[in-house]
Amino acid sequence: LLQLKSARSCFADAGYIDVADTPTESAATAKPLVGGKDAYTVTPAISQHAQPLMRHHMPTDGAITFKKYMASTAGEWRLPDDWMDSPKQSMQGFEDTYRNIIDYIIRITFRIWDDRDVEYIRATYGSDSNTFDDFGLQHGDDKVVQDTYASMRAFSDIECVAQEVIWAGNDEIGFHTSHRVLIRGTNNGPSKYGPATGNKVEFIVIANCVAKNNEIFLEHVLYNAPALLEQLGFDIEEQVQNLMNDCPKGWPLPKALWDEMKNAARPAQPISVAEPVAGFDIDRMVRSAFGEMWGAKRSPERLSAYYTNDVSVEGASNRKWTGLEKHCEFFDMFTQAFPDICVQVDEVYWTIEGTETHVALRWSATATHTGPGMYGAPTNSEVRVWGLNQYDVVDERIVREWMLFNEFDLLLQLKSARSLFNN
């Protein structure tokens, strides 16, 4: 009874009553989640609208790639001078001004953030869109608009410098994109974390979107909150406590929505299993590398079949390192804290560009915090972790990797568990 009461209290604090987890209802037939802050409806809409990709949805001719799109740009990759010369692809349902899906992603981002046309979000996000971020589910375009205005008040000179757009799909099934952006600005206004500090910040964000008919209707985005807080000069533990006292909208994510989040656009079988090919298969290779890295037998020797020894890695919370040995060390420390972690790959897609292949991988995991290490003394609590990875693959091996996960959410989960024990 105490366990059930604790669960209900967590949901109530976040503004939820999770009727979808009752024995008589499934996520597909669930009633609305009714709450004081927001009310979300658990329906099969996410899974139905975001269709899983197949092998023939992957662009292989290299005609439309991020580097080619930005080729004429001098200096930083913001907006190309000759975007009108970018190759045209079928974009039925999108505004005529957009020539291809990379053009769409880059230019709507530029218009919203650089041109400060925040209300244009309403033309590119549906009123029933679902955005899964560090704190849970944000439903509809209003929340996206509010958050963007808040960011601009906190960082009046904010800039979004594009680093990569990996894409697959088409205008019939929907375009799937993985957009890596460098966020930069000066904190000269108040933010949800506190008063202006005057500090300059620079950190990466990865946003995986599914778009159709000019609207992004599904997004998985990780804002790398610990990296931001560290550069602002705030104490992360103190910020976690502050947010525990006033839970972020959308947190914690109820189980029905967690299942929707991780299974959205997830194929019934990996592409490499459903559509096997002879010889090298990028889907099989990346999934194997990912599995080996999380596996109990990881070692630089085993992983050298998938990575170059001098692989360059950029991770959550501004972690950066070079070399396969250091890459393994991070996973050694993480799995020491969560030795029973169970990880699944939710989606993989890729863009081929000459001898290089750019890969987007989305994953999720559950684990029990039973070990010491990077997250303090064990809480013996179950946690949910999810992440977005990007890989550059050359000559059948990974040469660069970017890896973000919901680390701030993870800290909130662990803090919640410790608070329950203390109480």
Side-chain angles (χ1 to χ4, degrees), residues 225-264:
L228 169 62
L229 288 169
E230 182 180 318
Q231 294 178 49
L232 288 176
F234 291 130
D235 181 87
I236 293 179
E237 182 67 22
E238 184 178 313
Q239 288 295 323
V240 169
Q241 182 60 60
N242 291 342
L243 288 175
M244 279 301 304
N245 296 336
D246 183 16
C247 289
K249 194 177 293 184
W251 190 91
L253 198 63
K255 184 180 184 302
L257 290 180
W258 165 258
D259 290 340
E260 283 286 345
M261 184 206 74
K262 66 181 184 177
N263 292 325

Side-chain angles (χ1 to χ4, degrees), residues 7 31 54 74 88 114 169 185 200 209 227 230 232 238 275 284 299 327 329 347 359 362 396 414:
K31 298 173 184 176
M54 301 175 67
K88 186 76 173 170
D114 287 71
K200 294 184 180 297
C209 299
E230 182 180 318
L232 288 176
E238 184 178 313
E275 304 175 77
R284 182 175 62 245
S299 69
H327 201 16
E329 287 175 2
E347 186 179 25
V359 184
R362 177 167 56 85
E396 303 183 3
L414 296 175

Side-chain angles (χ1 to χ4, degrees), residues 145-156 186-191:
V145 170
Q146 292 167 17
D147 287 350
T148 305
Y149 276 127
S151 295
M152 289 181 179
R153 285 193 295 269
F155 302 88
S156 64
T186 308
N187 180 215
N188 49 18
S191 70

Side-chain angles (χ1 to χ4, degrees), residues 48-68:
Q48 286 179 354
H49 293 166
Q51 298 298 316
L53 297 168
M54 301 175 67
R55 193 179 292 278
H56 69 269
H57 293 129
M58 310 299 163
T60 58
D61 60 5
I64 300 171
T65 67
F66 175 76
K67 286 180 182 176
K68 285 187 176 179

